[in-house]
């Protein structure tokens, strides 16, 4: 069986879907891409790790009876090695796929396509459509707050909430919380909530473009589907009850600190040179003169920065994890930030100045 395809088209398709292939190879076929004819012509490529799955359409000629799998990473490396804009020919014969261009030939092992795990598609109950750049910004504004290795498995994902004209993303690891929302062009009936796993969030973010091309989000009972033109990402959702995040967001904060974002970011970065590698703690002293940032470590090394800022409230001292504050400052895009405080033992609320569609809660730290 002979196949042919263009280098650029195949490279783009494989790069989109390679992230779903299983790296630990608990089942060898999970490291492969399934190659078979598309429903409307061309070629259909599929990868999965059983938790999420990519499918992509690409141009090419393929026999109707062809259904095989081959290592997605090896095939991608071979295709990328071909000369620019070249046409590549492949031949499937038994348990081998021969790929060639110019004077180069590669023989790759294959496994039958019928052995590739089928992804059972759930019934889509509701859909929303958003521009890719808007969804990308929503993910970037929140995904850093997802838990990484927490026994509370529902924290190892991103909560998506669609209601009315709003799509909201929420992430928390129990020490900080990030919430951001964007406007939908068409309203959603009722309220839809799904917790999207960390890997699916990362895969989606990696494949979103920075333009206004549409992405359609489909909500099934136990799955979520993202359609990005010729590529479709399906993911299981995390079952469980996400924390009541609205109760965590502090309100009626009597003290307010307004500071230039880059100035505070650079100050935190500098004091971080001597901050404890384990705790990464810093103290902020707030008063009429503005803000001081201090830290020390077990070797009794110290660092201190005076930050010019506008502070309205009582004198206060509060400690934080340095990395948590920097993560927030890295995603806020305005020149200034507004920090609302209650006292030295309560969580703070960080927002852009002027406030926009994102809010960030950071718990204090005892130092």
């Amino acid at each position: 069986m002979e196949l042919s395809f263009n280098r650029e088209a195949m490279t783009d398709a494989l790069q989109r879907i390679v992230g779903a292939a299983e790296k630990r190879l608990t089942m060898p076929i999970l490291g492969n891409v399934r190659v078979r004819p598309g429903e409307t012509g061309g070629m259909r490529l599929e990868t999965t790790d059983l938790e999420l799955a990519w499918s992509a359409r690409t141009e090419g000629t393929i026999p109707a009876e062809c259904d095989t799998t081959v290592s997605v990473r090896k095939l991608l490396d071979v295709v990328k090695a071909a000369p620019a804009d070249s046409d590549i020919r492949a031949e499937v014969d038994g348990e081998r796929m021969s790929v060639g261009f110019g004077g180069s030939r590669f023989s790759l092992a294959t496994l039958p396509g019928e052995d590739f795990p089928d992804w059972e598609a759930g019934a889509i109950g509701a859909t929303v459509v958003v521009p890719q750049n808007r969804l990308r910004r929503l993910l970037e504004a929140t995904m850093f707050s997802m838990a990484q290795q927490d026994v509370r498995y529902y924290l190892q994902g991103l909560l998506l909430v669609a209601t009315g004209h709003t799509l909201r993303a929420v992430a928390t690891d129990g020490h900080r919380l990030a919430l951001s929302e964007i406007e939908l062009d068409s309203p959603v009936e009722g309220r839809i909530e799904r917790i999207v796993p960390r890997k699916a969030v990362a895969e989606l973010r990696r494949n979103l473009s920075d333009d206004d091309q549409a992405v359609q989000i489909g909500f099934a009972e136990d799955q979520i589907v993202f359609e990005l033109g010729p590529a479709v990402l399906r993911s299981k959702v995390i079952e469980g009850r996400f924390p009541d995040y609205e109760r965590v967001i502090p309100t009626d904060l009597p003290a307010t600190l307004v500071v230039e974002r880059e100035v505070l970011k650079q100050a935190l970065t500098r004091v971080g040179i001597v901050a404890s590698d384990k705790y990464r703690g810093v103290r902020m002293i707030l008063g009429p003169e503005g803000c001081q940032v201090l830290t020390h470590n077990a070797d009794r090394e110290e660092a201190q920065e005076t930050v010019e800022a506008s502070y309205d409230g009582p004198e206060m001292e509060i400690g934080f994890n340095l990395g948590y504050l920097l993560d927030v400052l890295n995603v806020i895009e305005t020149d200034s930030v507004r920090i609302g405080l209650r006292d030295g033992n309560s969580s703070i609320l960080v927002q852009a100045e002027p406030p926009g569609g994102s809010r960030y809660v950071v718990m204090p730290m005892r130092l």
Side-chain angles (χ1 to χ4, degrees):
M1 293 182 290
E2 293 189 356
L3 298 73
S4 64
F5 44 85
N6 176 263
R7 175 192 183 274
E8 274 62 36
M10 180 60 80
T11 298
D12 179 69
L14 291 174
Q15 285 179 330
R16 278 184 176 273
I17 69 175
V18 65
E22 176 63 57
K23 294 181 179 179
R24 294 186 297 274
L25 294 183
T26 52
M27 294 171 55
I29 202 167
L30 296 183
N32 286 7
V33 54
R34 186 179 192 180
V35 183
R36 54 178 170 165
E39 293 88 345
T40 57
M43 304 170 69
R44 177 182 173 91
L45 310 175
E46 300 166 76
T47 55
T48 185
D49 64 359
L50 302 182
E51 295 297 321
L52 61 85
W54 271 112
S55 65
R57 302 187 309 271
T58 187
E59 297 177 358
T61 59
I62 181 172
E65 67 276 13
C66 184
D67 188 0
T68 189
T69 75
V70 64
S71 168
V72 61
R73 290 182 173 83
K74 290 179 182 176
L75 181 60
L76 176 58
D77 287 343
V78 168
V79 172
K80 287 169 62 178
D85 203 30
S86 59
D87 291 323
I88 301 174
R89 295 189 176 278
E91 183 176 351
V92 179
D93 184 9
E95 298 179 350
R96 316 299 295 179
M97 175 185 283
S98 174
V99 184
F101 49 85
S104 302
R105 293 291 182 272
F106 301 85
S107 180
L108 305 178
T110 65
L111 290 171
E114 55 266 26
D115 293 343
F116 194 81
D118 280 327
W119 186 273
E120 296 183 6
I124 302 299
T127 61
V128 298
V129 178
V130 295
Q132 292 196 29
N133 52 6
R134 208 183 299 176
L135 180 58
R136 176 177 172 175
R137 173 64 191 133
L138 182 71
L139 299 182
E140 291 175 342
T142 52
M143 59 188 293
F144 65 87
S145 286
M146 293 185 293
Q148 296 199 39
Q149 292 180 324
D150 200 300
V151 293
R152 296 166 293 182
Y153 56 92
Y154 48 82
L155 298 185
Q156 299 183 51
L158 185 78
L159 176 68
L160 285 182
V161 183
T163 177
H165 279 88
T166 302
L167 180 64
R168 173 180 291 178
V170 188
T172 180
D173 61 5
H175 302 285
R176 54 181 171 174
L177 181 143
L179 181 153
S180 188
E181 54 190 28
I182 57 177
E183 186 175 345
L184 297 173
D185 295 331
S186 300
V188 176
E189 291 186 10
R191 183 183 179 92
I192 306 169
E193 296 188 4
R194 299 290 187 275
I195 306 175
V196 186
R198 162 182 288 276
K199 183 175 179 180
V201 173
E203 278 296 295
L204 179 61
R205 160 63 186 84
R206 183 177 67 85
N207 280 277
L208 288 171
S209 62
D210 200 20
D211 54 37
D212 59 0
Q213 293 184 56
V215 52
Q216 178 174 288
I217 307 174
F219 298 93
E221 184 175 346
D222 59 351
Q223 297 177 23
I224 190 165
V225 181
F226 302 92
E227 295 189 22
L228 295 78
V232 178
L233 173 65
R234 294 181 178 273
S235 173
K236 295 181 180 180
V237 297
I238 298 176
E239 297 182 0
R241 186 172 180 84
F242 201 80
D244 186 357
Y245 59 89
E246 293 181 340
R247 292 182 56 187
V248 175
I249 301 174
T251 57
D252 301 323
L253 300 174
T256 302
L257 176 72
V258 178
V259 59
E260 288 189 28
R261 182 184 64 85
E262 191 63 27
V263 170
L264 180 58
K265 178 181 172 181
Q266 293 300 325
L268 291 171
T269 301
R270 286 191 291 267
V271 300
I273 295 172
V274 300
S276 167
D277 290 336
K278 184 175 182 180
Y279 299 107
R280 301 291 288 167
V282 297
R283 285 186 297 144
M284 293 179 66
I285 300 176
L286 308 173
E289 293 78 22
C291 171
Q292 282 189 319
V293 182
L294 308 90
T295 192
H296 64 276
N297 59 30
D299 296 325
R300 291 192 287 184
E301 298 170 329
E302 299 179 350
Q304 177 178 324
E305 284 273 345
T306 299
V307 180
E308 186 174 336
S310 172
Y311 178 66
D312 180 16
E315 293 188 8
M316 189 183 306
E317 181 174 332
I318 188 168
F320 297 104
N321 181 297
L322 171 68
Y324 293 171
L325 283 179
L326 284 174
D327 284 343
V328 172
L329 295 176
N330 283 331
V331 297
I332 290 179
E333 296 179 333
T334 54
D335 292 336
S336 299
V337 295
R338 173 189 294 264
I339 302 176
L341 309 97
R342 178 172 289 114
D343 53 51
N345 299 310
S346 302
S347 298
I348 64 169
L349 178 64
V350 187
Q351 295 175 277
E353 175 60 26
S358 300
R359 287 171 284 173
Y360 302 95
V361 180
V362 180
M363 292 181 62
M365 182 179 183
R366 290 187 179 182
L367 298 174

